[in-house]
Amino acid sequence: MKIDLLIQHGRLIDPASAVDEIADVWIHDGRIAGTGCFSGKAKRTIDARGMIVCPGLIDMHVHLREPGQEWKEDIASGSKAAVAGGVTRVCCMPNTQPCLDHAGVLAQLAARNQAVGLVHLHPIAAVSKGLKGTELTEMRELAAAGAVAFSDDGKPIWHAGVMRKALEYASSFGFLVIQHAEEPTLTAGGAINEGWVSTQMGVPGMPAEGEDSIIARDIMLTRLTDARYHVAHISTAGAVAQVRAAQQQGLKVSAEAAPHHFALTEEEVLGYRSDAKMSPPLRTEADRQAVIEGLRDGTIAVIATDHAPHHEDDKRCGLECAAFGIVGLETMLPVSLMLVREKVLSLSELIAKMTVNPARLLNLAAGRLAKGDIADVCVFDPDEQWTLDRNRLYSKSRNTPWHGKTMQGRVRHTITAGKLVFSLPEAS
Ligand SMILES: [Zn+2]
């Protein structure tokens, strides 16, 4: 019998199984059929010499824009961007139009994703109906329809009473509540971080306290309700310190960091560069170092992109009115590899933050490469240097701060459920 696909002679890194060795991985019927030394015949072989072979990446923070804003992104283009970045599981945020606040829209999303067929799609459903922040959604029904967590991302759950109710309800069923941590009465009108850059540029800022104060409140409510609470795109030193302290007290508090928050600082917006405008904003060097330390000591268990595609028209209109957000799926891995080069994390620790760690938080049977597992695999060259050209992104949108920058590390092949869904074109 010939197996479907053989990935030969790569460096297999599977953090969940504590594996880091040169080995073959073979795949049959959509599943990992074995790892080690393969001696049979395969229908197709990938030579992975010099490459890293790891579980397909899981991005737990993606804005796919479908339904409702398909000119920015849709499931097809977002999936192509994902697999080009080695991502095989996409968790999509609920701030679409209509938003993901009822089971019917989740069913439509699942059908659309099945037709595209490149990634596993795991919706994160809304906490509040219409993302209005007042009335809770039917969380159990949404979980039954496939929601893996709950968030009003794009907006904070700003109302303390609603947050308490959401956490109480989530706590009874073990659901994860994800907060876009921003106190709107402190950040209203702000475009970038509040500090010397905003002062010098004369652009209204968003203080770090806008993030820190709502996390302080939420941690109190997490203690009250014994719920599982997750801070999205953590960006300040104060936030990292609070999450660390809460974890030390045994609270079920977790956090994710986006690559831009540990790779870039507020100075990136000098010159009114709207492709460096996002929420939360790029912060100071001290904040960036605190996020890196949080990643190093495990306070921040997950790296996620906050992939937020926007059309040029929404970005090229002055820093103050430009939309918040950047695309990230195609740059997550190369940008994050800086943490390995700077000896903050081992390669295995880094991969864990994009595979098994988010899988555990979201209760997904994924992020691992053991025999019998669904064969989601990423094959990448950790050393290849290349120049990012925003016009060659698979995403429909071009809003990246890394245009023209040298990236180190490049995805060569991506396999979703045993199917080769991406191979880097030759000579690119
Ligand atoms: Zn957000």
Side-chain angles (χ1 to χ4, degrees), residues 135-308:
E135 200 185 337
L136 294 189
T137 54
E138 301 292 338
M139 290 166 88
R140 277 183 82 182
E141 214 171 279
L142 287 158
V148 292
F150 295 87
S151 182
D152 275 359
D153 187 71
K155 292 178 186 171
I157 305 156
W158 61 272
H159 190 292
V162 171
M163 188 51 148
R164 178 189 179 169
K165 279 199 191 113
L167 289 170
E168 275 172 349
Y169 201 78
S171 176
S172 333
F173 300 101
F175 300 150
L176 183 70
V177 174
I178 302 174
Q179 174 71 300
H180 169 111
E182 177 179 346
E183 168 50 57
T185 59
L186 288 174
T187 59
I192 58 177
N193 184 48
E194 184 178 299
W196 75 268
V197 172
S198 67
T199 306
Q200 193 178 49
M201 294 175 72
V203 172
M206 295 188 275
E209 288 74 8
E211 181 167 335
D212 300 356
S213 62
I214 202 159
I215 292 175
R217 179 204 79 181
D218 287 348
I219 288 173
M220 289 179 194
L221 297 175
T222 301
R223 184 180 289 115
L224 181 68
T225 56
D226 193 31
R228 297 171 62 223
Y229 170 77
H230 180 83
V231 179
H233 40 51
I234 197 164
S235 76
T236 68
V240 176
Q242 291 187 78
V243 169
R244 182 181 292 119
Q247 289 171 348
Q248 284 164 354
Q249 291 164 29
L251 300 179
K252 298 166 196 158
V253 173
S254 56
E256 79 202 15
H260 45 269
H261 286 128
F262 58 78
L264 305 173
T265 66
E266 58 180 348
E267 290 166 47
E268 206 67 26
V269 298
L270 288 166
Y272 298 88
R273 293 187 56 217
S274 62
D275 281 340
K277 177 182 175 181
M278 70 286 288
S279 177
L282 298 174
R283 304 282 192 185
T284 66
E285 177 61 14
D287 292 309
R288 185 179 84 88
Q289 290 299 337
V291 170
I292 289 175
E293 180 54 25
L295 287 159
R296 196 195 60 74
D297 76 4
T299 303
I300 304 168
V302 171
I303 294 172
T305 60
D306 192 11
H307 178 84

Side-chain angles (χ1 to χ4, degrees), residues 309-382:
H310 286 295
H311 191 267
E312 296 280 289
D313 295 350
D314 299 314
K315 277 296 200 181
R316 301 278 170 268
C317 53
L319 197 52
E320 281 177 56
C321 85
F324 289 102
I326 62 168
V327 291
L329 283 164
E330 295 169 69
T331 48
M332 171 164 72
L333 183 61
V335 173
S336 299
L337 281 165
M338 66 169 262
L339 297 170
V340 177
R341 289 195 296 274
E342 292 175 6
K343 304 215 177 332
V344 176
L345 299 174
S346 69
L347 201 42
S348 181
E349 287 166 337
L350 175 71
I351 290 168
K353 290 186 194 292
M354 295 184 278
T355 57
V356 64
N357 293 0
R360 282 183 185 144
L361 264 181
L362 301 168
N363 289 320
L364 300 174
R368 200 181 61 162
L369 288 182
K371 190 175 176 183
D373 286 338
I374 293 173
D376 299 334
V377 186
C378 168
V379 180
F380 69 97
D381 180 336

